[in-house]
């Protein structure tokens, strides 16, 4: 709330302050979507699911 008066006092125009504010509004969706990450990792780890192991493929084996 104090950013606008401080920015205009320091010589920044209204349009520059407005553009800065619009950039700040694009951050919250990323912050909200980032929060479930650790919880989902714990749930996935405790679910007991595993990645299936496969046989390694060597270079050139597909062409023979």
């Amino acid at each position: 709330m104090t950013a606008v008066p401080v920015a205009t006092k320091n010589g920044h125009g209204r349009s520059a302050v407005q553009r800065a504010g619009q950039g700040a509004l694009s951050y919250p969706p990323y912050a909200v979507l980032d929060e479930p990450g650790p919880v989902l990792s714990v749930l996935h780890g405790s679910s007991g699911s595993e990645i299936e192991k496969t046989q390694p493929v060597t270079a050139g084996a597909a062409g023979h």
Side-chain angles (χ1 to χ4, degrees):
M1 209 163 187
T2 59
V4 173
V6 170
T8 52
K9 177 187 164 291
N10 289 335
H12 297 285
R14 183 171 181 244
S15 61
V17 173
Q18 184 177 7
R19 283 192 308 271
Q22 289 170 345
L25 291 177
S26 65
Y27 177 73
Y30 294 105
V32 169
L33 294 174
D34 191 44
E35 288 298 319
V39 174
L40 293 175
S41 294
V42 170
L43 288 175
H44 184 268
S46 64
S47 69
S49 63
E50 295 181 1
I51 297 175
E52 217 177 284
K53 294 180 181 177
T54 60
Q55 295 295 326
V57 177
T58 58
H64 294 282

